[in-house]
Amino acid sequence: MRPSLEDRIEVHRAQLQSKPFPGFGHALKPYYGFDESYVALNNGSFGACPNHVLAVYKEFVDEAERYPDTFLRRMYRPLLTAARKQLAEIIHCHVDDLVLVANATSGVNAVLRGLNGTWRSGDAILVYETIYGACGKTAQYIVDSNPSFALQIVRVPLSYPLTHDEVIQKTRAAIEDAEAKSINIRIGVMDAISSIPGVVVPWERLCKLYRSHNILSLVDAAHAVGQIQVDMTAADPDFFISNCHKWLSAHRGVALLYVAKRNQHLTHAIPTSHDYLSPNLPPPKGPPLLPTDAPSNFVATWEWTGTIDMSNYLSIPAALEFRRWMGGEADIMAYNSNLARQAGQIVSQKLGAGSVVMEVEAASQAERLTASMVNVSIPVDVAATDADERRTELAMLGARLQTRLTTENETFVMFYVHADRIWIRLSAQVWLEPSDFEWVADKIQGLVLEHQLQTKATI
Amino acid sequence: MRPSLEDRIEVHRAQLQSKPFPGFGHALKPYYGFDESYVALNNGSFGACPNHVLAVYKEFVDEAERYPDTFLRRMYRPLLTAARKQLAEIIHCHVDDLVLVANATSGVNAVLRGLNGTWRSGDAILVYETIYGACGKTAQYIVDSNPSFALQIVRVPLSYPLTHDEVIQKTRAAIEDAEAKSINIRIGVMDAISSIPGVVVPWERLCKLYRSHNILSLVDAAHAVGQIQVDMTAADPDFFISNCHKWLSAHRGVALLYVAKRNQHLTHAIPTSHDYLSPNLPPPKGPPLLPTDAPSNFVATWEWTGTIDMSNYLSIPAALEFRRWMGGEADIMAYNSNLARQAGQIVSQKLGAGSVVMEVEAASQAERLTASMVNVSIPVDVAATDADERRTELAMLGARLQTRLTTENETFVMFYVHADRIWIRLSAQVWLEPSDFEWVADKIQGLVLEHQLQTKATI
């Protein structure tokens, strides 16, 4: 007879625990599935899943095949609840206020689309210039698909480096300007750590500011959990979404969606669930198609939203166990933020004059822009002088450099344009050491020198 | 060095092809991941994935870990296109008109929610009494979340068994009734094969009827592909969605979403994609964040909708290869529909007087209700006489019988109420033989006898 799921997972657990943690850096690489030649400098985009977590993930996949109905109707539910419970402890919220979705974009979509049916004429959505691409498109789609309400997007301009105080001031200015124009900002979408550039945002203070203006706070914390400490009870956001496959070592795609109890009636599962209760119909009679012992309709509607392989959701406890084996959240964050700061110094020094790290003079880690991602400017320029043309030309140049770096070397680094410059975003992560950033700095320096020579040659 | 993805997949392929197909029935069980004790009689709910497909699936999972950015930015795209191309051949459409989503419910949601922004006052959605639960809830959610348009649901009553002609007539009557009341039915949601009861619906003829009344046809074909032959070119539906993990042997969750070219501007990806183009904004400048060589914006927006593990999508070619190894679609469908009809006879005869198969007198397979799923009534009744009370009591009794059957035996069979009776739905599938249905008929007969004795005892 085949061993039980619990026994099979226990074997993986024992195997992991039988090995002493070898310390952060290259000694950890064998614990991941990377190709030997690959230098993974861009954890920020897709994360990476430890072998231990992947092994447990595959046990769930196999278990569902063993008796599909038994697993997908009965067994998955307590496993899902256990995953949610462990996440709730990490972000300091009640387990009933946290559900799982495929990724942060899906969570942001559920929240913004959930407001359909409640918009009023003249309502607006507050966003930042640095909003994640797909989320900015989502806000625009909400505007486009509600034409009768003439919704607006209010955009806060952000040109980094900026102190947290400056971000707060610019937000306040945008809100007060909208209020002066009688624009009713209904909800604001802020990052906890933005993607491009990869900088920490004072999201707790923004939540407070929003609240004082009666604006719902939607925190796109795609990069937060596992990279910085977050506390729902202290910050009290209205909605908070974090990927768990980026920085928390789970198998992609899984994200947590926290919704404050006061807003749970606003956030409907996508796709619409069997358990959706219409406010316009009497409650259904008879037993549900898929039985649930969910503590609320909010949780019930998110427990099942159409057939998927839920193994990624269920991989959360294995991810957290792997992280405890590495020393726990505080140790991981300390290693990564130190390494990110080192990486910034290494790369900007190698690239020489004209290259800067995107950072502010800050007394404490809490005031810094750099957590586990660091942004460094590339000392190249384009000929155009018109702002729009410069932006396009810089973007094309950045894309060319990125393509060359990525196709000529076994790595990936994101090049992007911000504040009239090309920057790169680098991710520190537990398997990396300073030498990895020295390696990539050399490669980028080579491309920059080549570009500078070509540019001179064509003058 | 580790072998390439192609080489690893080739090993699995060679391994499969080295074994001669042993014929349908129990000889195929070792090719699936079922527990030895499990009798999988409910393929209709979640499908089951052949070991060959699962092995290839896991190669994709591993490959993404090998170089996450390389795989998720570059490598997956041609693999995804190959999967779409093979599906397009099966359903006879152009590859550019077919994209992949997680499951049928997600596809139905994308189509119905995609109409937001285009509703007019007095519009209605046509549905059937037998609509799948989550899809019925989705239609209701569209009504609830568009309160300013006072949308309506027009419901076609269906009480099976019904001939295809009767389904057409009832639909026409509902449409004409709505037209007489100046209700503008914008779109109708029909099944190709409904879930409860599991019967074939004359969806091609309904598409034609809808078209003649200027109603968009949305075909929830969750159970269709792999169970019956479908042809987009011949039937010309407006929207057609079929799961590929139910009857097509792919790894859950993956479904195909076909959208006729004339409607592709209406169907927006959920979550909203990086590639979404707002009709109210000038087109974006500069290179896209995720480069694409997609042939249209429709395809581009669905190629990437937030980070997920796409291995289930990429498992389609392996699933089709496994099906060719079994003899191909026609052989599989012939075996399953024969077995389903046998199963109906076996179970209804065992349950004795009062048990019937849900079927019509039909000259040809095209007119029959039974494809690979068969519905059999259970000869039990409740005391209530009021229609509403009867419905609830029958549902409770059905749920009790289902729970007992499922917890006392290693199997699952769905019990449901339809047309004032309790029915079960059984799925024929390639690993099953008539003896499996004899086994479950015995178990159900035992429960029925026990119930009848108890009922008499309490009189």
Side-chain angles (χ1 to χ4, degrees), chain B residues 158-214:
Chain B
L158 292 181
S159 189
Y160 281 97
L162 292 166
T163 64
H164 288 354
D165 281 345
E166 287 170 322
V167 172
I168 299 287
Q169 282 155 18
K170 283 170 187 294
T171 304
R172 185 180 290 118
I175 293 173
E176 288 174 354
D177 182 59
E179 285 173 347
K181 293 174 183 157
S182 296
I183 296 169
N184 178 44
I185 299 177
R186 181 86 190 289
I187 188 168
V189 190
M190 71 185 84
D191 289 298
I193 297 172
S194 55
S195 172
I196 301 175
V199 293
V200 176
V201 175
W203 66 275
E204 295 105 324
R205 290 173 63 191
L206 288 174
C207 285
K208 209 172 160 185
L209 174 64
Y210 284 22
R211 201 155 43 239
S212 72
H213 288 269
N214 212 17

Coordinates of all heavy atoms in Angstrom, one line a residue, chain B residues 158-214:
Chain B
L158 N -36.6 23.5 -17.9 CA -36.3 22.2 -18.6 C -36.5 21.1 -17.6 O -35.9 21.1 -16.5 CB -34.8 22.2 -19.1 CG -34.4 23.1 -20.2 CD1 -32.9 22.9 -20.5 CD2 -35.2 23.0 -21.5
S159 N -37.4 20.2 -18.0 CA -37.7 19.1 -17.1 C -37.4 17.8 -17.9 O -38.2 17.4 -18.7 CB -39.1 19.2 -16.7 OG -39.4 18.2 -15.7
Y160 N -36.2 17.2 -17.7 CA -35.8 16.0 -18.5 C -36.5 14.8 -18.0 O -36.9 14.7 -16.8 CB -34.3 15.9 -18.4 CG -33.6 16.8 -19.3 CD1 -33.1 18.1 -18.8 CD2 -33.4 16.6 -20.6 CE1 -32.4 18.9 -19.6 CE2 -32.7 17.4 -21.5 CZ -32.2 18.6 -21.0 OH -31.5 19.5 -21.8
P161 N -36.6 13.7 -18.9 CA -36.1 13.7 -20.3 C -36.9 14.6 -21.3 O -38.1 14.7 -21.2 CB -36.2 12.2 -20.7 CG -37.3 11.7 -19.8 CD -37.2 12.5 -18.5
L162 N -36.1 15.2 -22.2 CA -36.7 16.0 -23.2 C -35.9 15.7 -24.5 O -34.7 15.4 -24.5 CB -36.4 17.5 -22.9 CG -37.1 18.2 -21.8 CD1 -36.5 19.5 -21.4 CD2 -38.6 18.4 -22.1
T163 N -36.7 15.7 -25.6 CA -36.0 15.5 -26.9 C -35.3 16.9 -27.3 O -35.6 17.9 -26.7 CB -37.0 15.2 -28.0 OG1 -37.9 16.3 -28.2 CG2 -37.8 14.0 -27.7
H164 N -34.3 16.8 -28.2 CA -33.7 18.0 -28.7 C -34.7 19.0 -29.2 O -34.6 20.2 -29.0 CB -32.6 17.7 -29.7 CG -31.4 17.0 -29.2 ND1 -31.2 16.8 -27.8 CD2 -30.3 16.4 -29.8 CE1 -30.1 16.1 -27.6 NE2 -29.5 15.9 -28.8
D165 N -35.7 18.4 -29.9 CA -36.8 19.3 -30.5 C -37.5 20.1 -29.4 O -37.8 21.3 -29.5 CB -37.8 18.5 -31.3 CG -37.3 18.1 -32.7 OD1 -36.3 18.7 -33.1 OD2 -37.8 17.2 -33.3
E166 N -37.7 19.4 -28.3 CA -38.4 20.0 -27.2 C -37.6 21.1 -26.5 O -38.1 22.2 -26.2 CB -38.8 19.0 -26.1 CG -40.0 18.1 -26.6 CD -40.2 16.9 -25.6 OE1 -39.3 16.3 -25.1 OE2 -41.4 16.5 -25.4
V167 N -36.3 20.9 -26.4 CA -35.4 21.9 -25.9 C -35.4 23.2 -26.8 O -35.5 24.3 -26.3 CB -34.0 21.4 -25.7 CG1 -33.0 22.5 -25.3 CG2 -34.0 20.3 -24.7
I168 N -35.4 22.9 -28.1 CA -35.5 24.0 -29.0 C -36.8 24.8 -28.9 O -36.8 26.0 -28.8 CB -35.3 23.5 -30.5 CG1 -34.0 22.8 -30.7 CG2 -35.5 24.6 -31.5 CD1 -32.8 23.7 -30.7
Q169 N -37.9 24.0 -28.8 CA -39.2 24.7 -28.7 C -39.3 25.5 -27.5 O -39.8 26.6 -27.5 CB -40.3 23.6 -28.7 CG -40.6 23.0 -30.1 CD -41.2 21.6 -30.0 OE1 -41.7 21.2 -29.0 NE2 -41.2 20.9 -31.2
K170 N -38.8 25.0 -26.4 CA -38.9 25.7 -25.1 C -38.1 27.0 -25.1 O -38.5 28.0 -24.6 CB -38.5 24.8 -23.9 CG -39.6 23.8 -23.5 CD -39.1 22.8 -22.5 CE -40.1 21.7 -22.3 NZ -41.3 22.2 -21.6
T171 N -36.9 26.9 -25.8 CA -36.1 28.1 -25.9 C -36.8 29.1 -26.8 O -36.8 30.3 -26.4 CB -34.7 27.7 -26.6 OG1 -34.1 26.6 -25.8 CG2 -33.8 28.9 -26.6
R172 N -37.4 28.7 -27.9 CA -38.0 29.6 -28.8 C -39.2 30.3 -28.1 O -39.4 31.5 -28.2 CB -38.5 28.9 -30.1 CG -39.1 29.8 -31.1 CD -39.6 29.2 -32.3 NE -38.5 28.7 -33.2 CZ -38.3 27.4 -33.5 NH1 -39.2 26.5 -33.0 NH2 -37.3 27.0 -34.2
A173 N -39.9 29.5 -27.3 CA -41.1 30.1 -26.5 C -40.6 31.1 -25.6 O -41.2 32.2 -25.5 CB -41.8 28.9 -25.8
A174 N -39.5 30.9 -24.9 CA -39.0 31.8 -23.9 C -38.5 33.1 -24.6 O -38.8 34.2 -24.1 CB -37.8 31.2 -23.1
I175 N -37.9 32.9 -25.8 CA -37.4 34.1 -26.5 C -38.6 34.9 -27.0 O -38.6 36.2 -26.9 CB -36.5 33.7 -27.7 CG1 -35.2 33.0 -27.2 CG2 -36.2 34.8 -28.6 CD1 -34.3 32.4 -28.2
E176 N -39.6 34.2 -27.6 CA -40.7 35.0 -28.1 C -41.5 35.6 -27.0 O -42.0 36.8 -27.2 CB -41.6 34.0 -28.9 CG -40.9 33.6 -30.3 CD -41.7 32.6 -31.1 OE1 -42.7 32.0 -30.5 OE2 -41.2 32.3 -32.2
D177 N -41.6 35.0 -25.9 CA -42.3 35.6 -24.7 C -41.6 36.9 -24.3 O -42.2 37.9 -24.0 CB -42.3 34.6 -23.6 CG -43.0 35.2 -22.4 OD1 -44.2 35.5 -22.5 OD2 -42.4 35.3 -21.3
A178 N -40.2 36.8 -24.3 CA -39.4 38.0 -23.9 C -39.6 39.1 -24.9 O -39.8 40.3 -24.6 CB -37.9 37.6 -23.8
E179 N -39.6 38.7 -26.2 CA -39.7 39.7 -27.2 C -41.1 40.4 -27.1 O -41.2 41.6 -27.3 CB -39.6 39.1 -28.6 CG -38.1 38.7 -28.9 CD -37.9 37.9 -30.2 OE1 -38.9 37.4 -30.8 OE2 -36.8 37.9 -30.7
A180 N -42.1 39.6 -26.8 CA -43.5 40.2 -26.7 C -43.5 41.2 -25.5 O -44.3 42.2 -25.6 CB -44.5 39.1 -26.4
K181 N -42.6 41.0 -24.5 CA -42.6 41.9 -23.4 C -41.5 43.0 -23.6 O -41.1 43.7 -22.6 CB -42.3 41.2 -22.1 CG -43.4 40.2 -21.7 CD -42.9 39.3 -20.5 CE -44.0 38.3 -20.1 NZ -43.4 37.2 -19.3
S182 N -41.0 43.1 -24.8 CA -39.9 44.1 -25.1 C -38.7 43.9 -24.2 O -38.0 44.9 -23.9 CB -40.5 45.5 -25.0 OG -41.5 45.8 -25.9
I183 N -38.4 42.7 -23.8 CA -37.2 42.4 -23.1 C -36.1 42.1 -24.2 O -36.4 41.3 -25.0 CB -37.4 41.2 -22.1 CG1 -38.4 41.6 -21.0 CG2 -36.0 40.8 -21.5 CD1 -38.8 40.4 -20.2
N184 N -35.0 42.8 -24.1 CA -34.0 42.6 -25.1 C -32.9 41.6 -24.6 O -32.0 41.9 -23.9 CB -33.3 43.9 -25.4 CG -32.2 43.7 -26.4 OD1 -32.3 43.0 -27.4 ND2 -31.0 44.4 -26.2
I185 N -33.1 40.3 -25.1 CA -32.1 39.3 -24.7 C -30.8 39.5 -25.4 O -30.8 39.4 -26.7 CB -32.6 37.9 -24.9 CG1 -33.9 37.6 -24.1 CG2 -31.6 36.8 -24.6 CD1 -34.5 36.3 -24.4
R186 N -29.8 39.9 -24.7 CA -28.5 40.2 -25.3 C -27.7 39.0 -25.6 O -27.0 38.9 -26.6 CB -27.8 41.2 -24.3 CG -26.5 41.7 -24.8 CD -26.7 43.0 -25.6 NE -25.4 43.3 -26.2 CZ -24.3 43.7 -25.5 NH1 -24.5 44.0 -24.2 NH2 -23.2 44.0 -26.1
I187 N -27.7 38.1 -24.7 CA -26.8 36.9 -24.7 C -27.5 35.7 -24.0 O -28.3 36.0 -23.1 CB -25.4 37.2 -24.1 CG1 -24.4 36.0 -24.3 CG2 -25.6 37.5 -22.6 CD1 -23.0 36.4 -24.0
G188 N -27.3 34.5 -24.5 CA -27.8 33.4 -23.9 C -26.7 32.4 -23.5 O -25.7 32.3 -24.3
V189 N -26.8 31.8 -22.3 CA -25.8 30.8 -21.9 C -26.4 29.4 -22.0 O -27.3 29.1 -21.2 CB -25.4 31.1 -20.4 CG1 -24.2 30.2 -20.1 CG2 -25.1 32.5 -20.2
M190 N -25.9 28.6 -22.9 CA -26.4 27.3 -23.1 C -25.3 26.3 -22.7 O -24.2 26.6 -22.8 CB -26.9 27.0 -24.5 CG -25.7 26.9 -25.5 SD -26.1 26.8 -27.2 CE -26.3 28.5 -27.6
D191 N -25.7 25.1 -22.3 CA -24.7 24.0 -22.2 C -24.6 23.3 -23.5 O -25.5 23.2 -24.3 CB -25.2 23.0 -21.1 CG -25.1 23.6 -19.7 OD1 -24.0 24.0 -19.3 OD2 -26.1 23.8 -19.1
A192 N -23.4 22.7 -23.7 CA -23.3 21.7 -24.8 C -23.7 20.3 -24.2 O -24.4 19.6 -24.9 CB -21.8 21.7 -25.3
I193 N -23.2 20.0 -23.1 CA -23.6 18.9 -22.3 C -23.8 19.4 -20.9 O -22.8 19.9 -20.3 CB -22.6 17.7 -22.2 CG1 -22.3 17.2 -23.7 CG2 -23.0 16.6 -21.3 CD1 -21.2 16.2 -23.8
S194 N -25.0 19.4 -20.3 CA -25.2 20.0 -19.0 C -24.6 19.2 -18.0 O -24.3 18.0 -18.2 CB -26.7 20.3 -18.8 OG -27.4 19.1 -18.9
S195 N -24.4 19.8 -16.8 CA -23.7 19.1 -15.7 C -24.7 18.3 -14.9 O -24.5 17.1 -14.6 CB -23.0 20.1 -14.8 OG -22.5 19.4 -13.6
I196 N -25.8 18.9 -14.5 CA -26.9 18.3 -13.7 C -28.2 18.6 -14.3 O -28.6 19.8 -14.2 CB -26.8 18.8 -12.3 CG1 -25.5 18.5 -11.6 CG2 -28.0 18.2 -11.5 CD1 -25.4 19.1 -10.2
P197 N -28.8 17.7 -15.0 CA -28.4 16.4 -15.3 C -27.3 16.4 -16.4 O -27.1 17.3 -17.2 CB -29.7 15.7 -15.9 CG -30.5 16.8 -16.4 CD -30.2 18.0 -15.6
G198 N -26.6 15.3 -16.5 CA -25.5 15.1 -17.5 C -26.0 14.7 -18.8 O -25.9 13.5 -19.2
V199 N -26.6 15.6 -19.6 CA -27.2 15.2 -20.8 C -26.8 16.1 -22.0 O -26.4 17.3 -21.8 CB -28.8 15.3 -20.8 CG1 -29.4 14.3 -19.8 CG2 -29.2 16.7 -20.4
V200 N -26.8 15.6 -23.2 CA -26.4 16.3 -24.4 C -27.5 17.3 -24.7 O -28.7 17.0 -24.7 CB -26.1 15.4 -25.5 CG1 -25.8 16.1 -26.8 CG2 -25.0 14.4 -25.2
V201 N -27.1 18.5 -25.1 CA -28.0 19.6 -25.4 C -27.8 20.0 -26.9 O -26.6 19.9 -27.4 CB -27.6 20.9 -24.5 CG1 -28.5 22.1 -24.9 CG2 -27.9 20.5 -23.0
P202 N -28.8 20.3 -27.6 CA -28.6 20.6 -29.1 C -28.1 22.0 -29.3 O -28.7 22.8 -29.8 CB -30.1 20.5 -29.6 CG -30.9 20.8 -28.4 CD -30.2 20.3 -27.2
W203 N -26.8 22.1 -28.9 CA -26.2 23.5 -28.8 C -26.0 24.1 -30.2 O -26.1 25.3 -30.4 CB -24.9 23.4 -28.0 CG -23.8 22.6 -28.6 CD1 -23.6 21.3 -28.5 CD2 -22.8 23.1 -29.5 NE1 -22.5 20.9 -29.3 CE2 -22.0 22.0 -29.9 CE3 -22.4 24.4 -30.0 CZ2 -20.9 22.1 -30.7 CZ3 -21.3 24.5 -30.8 CH2 -20.5 23.4 -31.2
E204 N -25.7 23.2 -31.2 CA -25.5 23.8 -32.6 C -26.8 24.4 -33.0 O -26.8 25.5 -33.6 CB -25.1 22.7 -33.6 CG -23.7 22.1 -33.3 CD -23.8 20.7 -32.7 OE1 -24.7 20.5 -31.9 OE2 -22.9 19.9 -33.0
R205 N -27.9 23.7 -32.8 CA -29.2 24.2 -33.3 C -29.6 25.5 -32.4 O -30.2 26.4 -33.0 CB -30.3 23.1 -33.1 CG -30.1 22.0 -34.2 CD -31.1 20.8 -33.9 NE -32.5 21.2 -34.0 CZ -33.5 20.4 -33.7 NH1 -33.2 19.3 -33.1 NH2 -34.7 20.9 -33.8
L206 N -29.3 25.5 -31.2 CA -29.6 26.6 -30.3 C -28.8 27.9 -30.8 O -29.3 29.0 -30.9 CB -29.3 26.3 -28.9 CG -30.2 25.4 -28.2 CD1 -29.7 25.1 -26.8 CD2 -31.6 26.0 -28.1
C207 N -27.5 27.6 -31.2 CA -26.7 28.8 -31.7 C -27.4 29.4 -32.9 O -27.5 30.6 -33.1 CB -25.3 28.3 -32.2 SG -24.2 27.9 -30.8
K208 N -28.0 28.5 -33.8 CA -28.7 29.0 -35.0 C -29.9 29.8 -34.6 O -30.2 30.9 -35.1 CB -29.0 27.8 -35.8 CG -29.1 28.0 -37.3 CD -29.3 26.7 -38.1 CE -29.8 27.0 -39.5 NZ -30.2 25.8 -40.2
L209 N -30.6 29.2 -33.7 CA -31.9 29.9 -33.2 C -31.5 31.3 -32.6 O -32.2 32.3 -32.9 CB -32.6 29.0 -32.1 CG -33.8 29.6 -31.4 CD1 -34.9 29.9 -32.5 CD2 -34.3 28.7 -30.3
Y210 N -30.5 31.3 -31.7 CA -30.1 32.6 -31.1 C -29.8 33.6 -32.2 O -30.2 34.7 -32.1 CB -28.8 32.4 -30.3 CG -29.1 31.7 -28.9 CD1 -30.2 30.9 -28.6 CD2 -28.1 31.9 -27.9 CE1 -30.3 30.3 -27.4 CE2 -28.3 31.3 -26.7 CZ -29.4 30.5 -26.4 OH -29.5 29.9 -25.2
R211 N -29.0 33.1 -33.2 CA -28.5 34.0 -34.2 C -29.7 34.6 -35.0 O -29.7 35.8 -35.3 CB -27.6 33.2 -35.2 CG -26.7 34.1 -36.1 CD -25.5 33.3 -36.5 NE -25.8 32.0 -37.0 CZ -25.2 30.9 -36.5 NH1 -24.3 31.0 -35.5 NH2 -25.5 29.7 -37.0
S212 N -30.8 33.8 -35.2 CA -31.9 34.3 -35.9 C -32.7 35.4 -35.1 O -33.5 36.1 -35.6 CB -32.9 33.2 -36.3 OG -33.5 32.7 -35.2
H213 N -32.4 35.4 -33.8 CA -33.1 36.4 -32.9 C -32.1 37.4 -32.4 O -32.3 38.2 -31.5 CB -33.7 35.7 -31.7 CG -34.9 34.9 -32.0 ND1 -36.2 35.5 -32.0 CD2 -35.1 33.7 -32.5 CE1 -37.1 34.6 -32.3 NE2 -36.5 33.5 -32.6
N214 N -30.9 37.4 -33.1 CA -29.9 38.4 -32.7 C -29.4 38.4 -31.3 O -29.2 39.4 -30.6 CB -30.4 39.8 -33.0 CG -29.3 40.8 -33.5 OD1 -28.2 40.4 -33.9 ND2 -29.6 42.1 -33.4

